[in-house]
Amino acid sequence: RRGSAWRWPAKEYGRAHDVGDAKNARWPTWRRRSKNRIGILGGRGRILIAPRLRNPSSVTITSTMAASPSWLAVLAAALGVARVAGLSSVLQLPPAELRPAAPILGMERPVRLGASDLLVSPMGAGTWAWGNKLLWGYDESQNEVLRDGFNAAIESGITWFDSADSYGTGAIEGNAEVLWGDFARNSPSAAGRQAQLFTKFAPYPWRIGAGSIEAACDAALARIGRDQLEVAQLHWPPTLGWQQSAYLDALANLRRTGKARAVGLSNFGPKSLAKVVDEMEARGEAISSNQVQFSLLSRAPGTDERIEEANALGVTIIGYSPLALGLLSGKYSPENPPPGARGQIYRETLPKIAGLLCTMEAVGAERGKTVAQVAINYVLCKGALPLVGVRSRTQAKDNTGALGWRLSDGEVFELERAAMACNADVVQNIFQTP
């Protein structure tokens, strides 16, 4: 106890929070869920006290450890609970809330996507390369290799894939969605046939009115051969807010009509995100996720705080490009740059990150992990869901080797120090806002 507030260790957040009355409590996971409840996330589990702190009718503890009746009684007394009518303990392994939790016995727990009813794997697979000729050198001969990569991701526990109606060069725009629909529909496993798809709609300036985004969703559903998306997302903030209100109307309509189970954003900075969350709440809907560029080479100032702020709004952060377009995959060096346009874009960056790659190799060697797995795990440790591109079985298996463990705080510190020392942040997505 400190003053009039109780202090409870929240180990999963790496810090302690002061908990006073329900009105003033600031718990990122629970604060927006209910104004009449106060949530406590402690080392032993999650605690809900409702509806009044001083005299609740019951206390239910959901814990990752069994709690004896005497322990519960001591807890109730310590929290000032008088005349408790019911006191019960539930031994349960609940899904992580909003952000990936530490694995239990090497097994990852599913993550609830924002305030939606969606439970997803703590890592997603990206499909940007499934049709992009300029940056990724796609051609149709790769389709069966991509199919094998899809199946390998499913076998490794990935439940969701991310795409966009703009993924595909020129005449094959939308190709990634077409391929994903084919791969899911003809998957040899039930898990593959039930795979979840998040897809994004580009706010092109010629898309005017809510109907334009709804029509884009209908086209995407036709390409994948389904009647519902798991998550419909706005790909980037429209320039100068052009049609943004209409686009948000469209997202709300997609939720109401059942064409999307949840809605999200991509490339919205913290200020833009907070504004859109409020605007969607006025429409009676919630933003469940926001994708941002995030890696050891792409960390905005105050990243930890930004993720916590998003969580406080009920939004799960998805970190795309955790391998920085392959720079952190461990495959490339100044003597062996990435092929095509990426090699040209990053020819001056590769020499600068040699020290960072050495640190990543050392951390990986100590743990028996690859450089790519260290890079992906870093994003998990920061509280975001990594979204990693998948183009082959080998790549899918290597990516998912980042699951089931966590870097230590010391390792995270050393990696961030090495990243800062190299002074080589990759170019940020030009569409990402403050």
Side-chain angles (χ1 to χ4, degrees), residues 188-373:
S189 70
R193 294 189 292 274
Q194 296 167 6
Q196 302 163 318
L197 183 67
F198 300 15
T199 204
K200 303 183 289 291
F201 305 117
Y204 296 132
W206 55 84
R207 283 184 167 165
I208 299 175
S212 65
I213 296 296
E214 293 178 56
C217 181
D218 290 339
L221 290 171
R223 285 191 288 270
I224 67 174
R226 290 188 177 182
D227 57 10
Q228 185 183 60
L229 296 169
E230 271 65 42
V231 185
Q233 306 160 103
L234 191 60
H235 203 156
W236 62 81
T239 304
L240 301 177
W242 168 252
Q243 295 292 306
Q244 180 164 299
S245 180
Y247 296 159
L248 297 183
D249 287 340
L251 292 181
N253 290 340
L254 294 177
R255 265 276 304 134
R256 294 190 192 106
T257 58
K259 292 182 180 179
R261 289 180 61 183
V263 294
L265 304 171
S266 181
N267 296 306
F268 278 69
K271 294 180 181 178
S272 303
L273 174 62
K275 181 180 179 182
V276 170
V277 166
D278 287 342
E279 291 175 355
M280 286 297 285
E281 284 185 353
R283 291 169 170 81
E285 298 294 340
I287 293 294
S288 294
S289 61
N290 182 35
Q291 293 189 23
V292 296
Q293 185 177 344
F294 188 28
S295 72
L296 274 164
L297 290 175
S298 180
R299 295 177 300 113
T303 293
D304 292 358
E305 290 75 12
R306 288 184 175 205
I307 291 175
E308 288 196 6
E309 287 171 9
N311 292 166
L313 294 171
V315 178
T316 294
I317 292 295
I318 297 171
Y320 68 80
S321 294
L323 299 181
L325 297 183
L327 292 182
L328 300 180
S329 66
K331 299 176 183 177
Y332 305 118
S333 66
E335 299 73 33
N336 178 38
R342 288 182 295 150
Q344 294 299 314
I345 295 170
Y346 294 121
R347 66 182 183 277
E348 295 180 2
T349 305
L350 280 166
K352 296 179 181 179
I353 64 173
L356 171 60
L357 291 174
C358 284
T359 301
M360 296 173 72
E361 288 173 1
V363 170
E366 190 73 19
R367 288 182 168 272
K369 298 295 180 180
T370 67
V371 168
Q373 289 164 357

Side-chain angles (χ1 to χ4, degrees), residues 137-176:
Y138 167 81
D139 68 66
E140 292 183 0
S141 66
Q142 300 170 0
N143 287 357
E144 291 309 306
V145 176
L146 295 174
R147 184 191 304 274
D148 199 33
F150 172 94
N151 290 330
I154 293 293
E155 292 165 10
S156 301
I158 299 301
T159 65
W160 61 282
F161 292 73
D162 178 77
S163 193
D165 63 355
S166 61
Y167 286 178
T169 305
I172 59 171
E173 188 173 64
N175 190 68

Side-chain angles (χ1 to χ4, degrees), residues 101-115:
I104 298 178
L105 300 178
M107 296 183 65
E108 295 283 352
R109 288 177 274 179
V111 179
R112 188 174 301 280
L113 197 75

Side-chain angles (χ1 to χ4, degrees), residues 94-96 99-111 120-123 156-157 377 380 400-406:
R99 56 194 297 167
I104 298 178
L105 300 178
M107 296 183 65
E108 295 283 352
R109 288 177 274 179
V111 179
V120 301
S121 56
M123 179 193 297
S156 301
N377 195 270
L380 282 166
T400 51
L403 299 175
W405 59 282
R406 292 292 185 273

